[in-house]
Amino acid sequence: MSIRVLVADDQRVVREGLALVLGLLPDVEVVGAVADGVEAVAMAERLRPDIVLMDLRMPRCDGVEATRLLRERRPEVRVVVLTTYSDDRSVLDALRAGARGYLTKEAGGDEISAALRRVLDEGAAIDPAVQHHVLNALARPEPPARERLTPREAEVLGLVAEGLSNTEIAHRLYISEGTVKSHINHLLAKIDARDRAQAIAYAYRSGLATPSGDDGG
């Protein structure tokens, strides 16, 4: 049975090259190729591929956010990251978002095919070149939740505490509602909050938000 793959990469030459190479493999069917995370999520929802081969650095919605969105909306669609980045943060962010595989763009067609098959068989595929990053991260003590929030996540949390809706936050920050939802889901996990009410309480406790009318004077 062929593995149905969707390719997501913002560089056209890379995207088309991957589609061509993968299309030549006997056990792979390329069902589409897209240029960013927004398109990746939309096409994955429509085409239901087995695997999305996901770049990390893409416009509008990067690979990590797209992976989180797919895990929420189409958990049966697996994600294998294929990127030039192999630093600790990139590897761990992708795996925490739900990626089942992580490869660098040094991988050849046979290596990619083998990784896709392993992931499809309910396994994981981590490039040996980046495995030490996982071990390094696991060896470090976990920082407090507030320190784990990115500046954008902290900004979104502050706006949630102000009572803004996802639509209003999207307009305020000039981002899509899907990206707002992704930030909120990610920060909820980081601060161990079940819903917006708990997140707002956390924002006040941690100083990321102040009561209305409190000008600090």
Side-chain angles (χ1 to χ4, degrees):
M1 182 182 68
S2 293
I3 305 172
R4 303 177 71 253
V5 178
L6 172 66
V7 176
D9 196 296
D10 64 325
Q11 294 183 300
R12 181 176 179 180
V13 65
V14 175
R15 185 170 66 248
E16 293 181 351
L18 280 171
L20 178 62
V21 170
L22 293 174
L24 295 174
L25 298 174
D27 60 344
V28 175
E29 176 190 358
V30 178
V31 298
V34 297
D36 61 50
V38 172
E39 294 178 356
V41 174
M43 190 164 286
E45 289 190 297
R46 182 164 61 88
L47 298 179
R48 311 285 182 87
D50 298 309
I51 294 175
V52 177
L53 195 59
M54 186 86 73
D55 188 22
L56 284 185
R57 304 293 190 267
M58 295 185 290
R60 294 205 294 170
C61 175
D62 66 21
V64 172
E65 291 183 356
T67 299
R68 290 191 199 107
L69 289 171
L70 283 174
R71 183 176 63 179
E72 295 162 10
R73 300 178 186 180
R74 294 294 176 199
E76 73 279 6
V77 176
R78 300 163 178 83
V79 172
V80 173
V81 169
L82 182 66
T83 181
T84 57
Y85 299 92
S86 60
D87 57 283
D88 290 11
R89 179 64 182 271
S90 295
V91 175
L92 266 293
D93 280 355
L95 296 179
R96 284 170 176 159
R100 301 291 295 276
Y102 198 106
L103 303 173
T104 68
K105 288 182 177 177
E106 297 297 318
D110 290 342
E111 293 173 272
I112 295 173
S113 176
L116 297 178
R117 180 60 64 187
R118 286 200 302 273
V119 168
L120 194 62
D121 291 339
E122 302 299 333
I126 309 297
D127 192 318
V130 303
Q131 287 178 0
H132 68 281
H133 292 288
V134 179
L135 297 176
N136 288 343
L138 292 175
R140 289 194 298 267
E142 191 74 1
R146 182 178 179 179
E147 294 179 16
R148 297 201 303 272
L149 293 181
T150 66
R152 178 64 96 186
E153 289 164 353
E155 186 176 21
V156 169
L157 179 54
L159 295 175
V160 169
E162 288 181 25
L164 273 65
S165 67
N166 288 0
T167 300
E168 292 167 333
I169 294 172
H171 289 163
R172 177 80 66 88
L173 300 181
Y174 301 101
I175 57 179
S176 70
E177 287 190 56
T179 299
V180 173
K181 291 179 182 178
S182 177
H183 284 313
I184 291 175
N185 288 331
H186 198 210
L187 70 87
L188 287 175
K190 285 183 175 181
I191 65 177
D192 196 25
R194 289 193 306 272
D195 51 34
R196 292 172 85 100
Q198 289 190 351
I200 291 170
Y202 173 88
Y204 285 119
R205 288 198 310 271
S206 62
L208 292 173
T210 55
S212 178
D214 184 355
D215 59 6

